[in-house]
Amino acid sequence: IPASVVNIDNSAFTDCSELESINVSADNEVYSSIEGVLYNKDQSILLNVPHKVKSLVIPHTCTISEIDVLNTNFPYVESFNSGGLVGELSATPFQGHSNIKTVVLGPGVTKLNMEAFRMSSLENITMSEGLQIIDPRPFDYCGQLKSITIPSSVVDVNVSDYGFGGGLNSLESFVVAEGNSIYDSRDNCNAFIETDTNTLLVGFPISTIPDSIVTIGYGAFEANGCGIHMVIPESVTSIRPYAFYNCSTLEEIVLPTNL
């Protein structure tokens, strides 16, 4: 884009499926570019991302997207950093994405929508402090995802329908950050717990049940199953329906004497 250009319509590059980069002259007084991505001059507004871009790192100066980058599909992106963008992460850009490997959600992303990364090739995700709401199944069938860390800022997680999603076959670690006032993963248990009620809401094959748990929640292990041998501690007084439904690998379960 030469220095003389003063107006680029939002639809100017529509259906340019082979476009790899947009490069703007440094002398242009209206537009600029970073690594082939089009911005306004001060890089506060993201204007266009070429179809074949592989790494999308949005600068922290950028808080607005006129084409709404969080609702646009970039099939070749392997790494994504939301930078300063503010709002919700919808399912549109990464659901079923076969190339995405690494995602960093900046502090401006406040909500992770339902099935945001469903059936994608996601391996690593960093969710920054600032995220508040997580809708059902954001990582459904993300079979290569190795770890999940829930920030301390999260106050509302809808786990009523398959928790964080099924098919998390490669998960090695599940952690709730210290300081979260609603949820925890105490005693390195690799499970998702509601703190006030001592209810284990979501478990995985890597999970153990801490001695302080009172209730094992509805369908807690349904989405991903559990280990071969499960010990229910004496503190547990209630096991909700379908808590161990679909736990096909479970061979032995030891119940507390009060159940």
Side-chain angles (χ1 to χ4, degrees):
I1 307 296
S4 58
V5 172
V6 296
N7 182 56
I8 302 174
D9 190 85
N10 286 345
S11 62
F13 300 102
T14 299
D15 294 330
C16 294
S17 59
E18 297 301 313
L19 186 62
E20 296 181 358
S21 66
I22 301 170
N23 299 299
V24 180
S25 167
D27 296 324
N28 191 295
E29 296 182 355
V30 180
Y31 300 103
S32 65
S33 60
I34 302 175
E35 297 183 351
V37 177
L38 181 65
Y39 297 87
N40 66 339
K41 185 61 178 179
D42 66 4
Q43 296 166 358
S44 62
I45 302 175
L46 172 62
L47 298 174
N48 201 294
V49 180
H51 187 75
K52 283 195 171 182
V53 70
K54 290 187 177 182
S55 178
L56 181 53
V57 181
I58 300 171
H60 284 277
T61 54
C62 180
T63 58
I64 302 171
S65 168
E66 287 195 351
I67 61 167
D68 193 355
V69 67
L70 299 184
N71 290 285
T72 305
N73 188 28
F74 307 113
Y76 292 92
V77 167
E78 296 176 359
S79 63
F80 172 79
N81 187 320
S82 70
L85 287 178
V86 176
E88 303 178 6
L89 182 66
S90 74
T92 307
F94 299 115
Q95 192 176 77
H97 201 299
S98 60
N99 289 310
I100 191 67
K101 302 296 182 186
T102 302
V103 168
V104 176
L105 301 181
V109 177
T110 57
K111 182 179 180 181
L112 192 56
N113 281 351
M114 184 171 68
E115 298 182 345
F117 295 97
R118 187 175 189 272
M119 297 185 74
S120 73
S121 59
L122 184 66
E123 295 180 0
N124 302 288
I125 184 166
T126 299
M127 295 178 279
S128 299
E129 296 296 333
L131 184 67
Q132 298 176 17
I133 301 170
I134 300 177
D135 277 350
R137 308 183 303 279
F139 308 114
D140 201 30
Y141 291 98
C142 291
Q144 300 177 59
L145 185 61
K146 295 177 176 62
S147 66
I148 298 172
T149 298
I150 306 298
S152 64
S153 55
V154 171
V155 295
D156 185 5
V157 180
N158 188 338
V159 297
S160 61
D161 186 7
Y162 261 56
F164 296 95
L168 297 172
N169 303 321
S170 299
L171 196 65
E172 299 173 354
S173 171
F174 182 94
V175 176
V176 178
E178 292 289 335
N180 190 298
S181 61
I182 309 295
Y183 307 107
D184 69 82
S185 55
R186 67 193 68 169
D187 303 334
N188 299 313
C189 66
N190 290 303
F192 186 59
I193 297 167
E194 186 177 57
T195 303
D196 284 351
T197 63
N198 292 307
T199 298
L200 192 151
L201 297 173
V202 181
F204 308 91
I206 59 173
S207 300
T208 57
I209 303 174
D211 292 337
S212 53
I213 293 299
V214 173
T215 302
I216 299 176
Y218 185 98
F221 289 90
E222 180 180 6
N224 289 281
C226 59
I228 295 173
H229 178 79
M230 294 297 295
V231 177
I232 311 298
E234 291 292 329
S235 58
V236 173
T237 59
S238 175
I239 300 177
R240 300 294 304 281
Y242 301 102
F244 295 97
Y245 187 68
N246 280 339
C247 289
S248 58
T249 61
L250 182 61
E251 295 180 0
E252 181 182 24
I253 186 165
V254 178
L255 297 173
T257 55
N258 62 334
L259 287 180

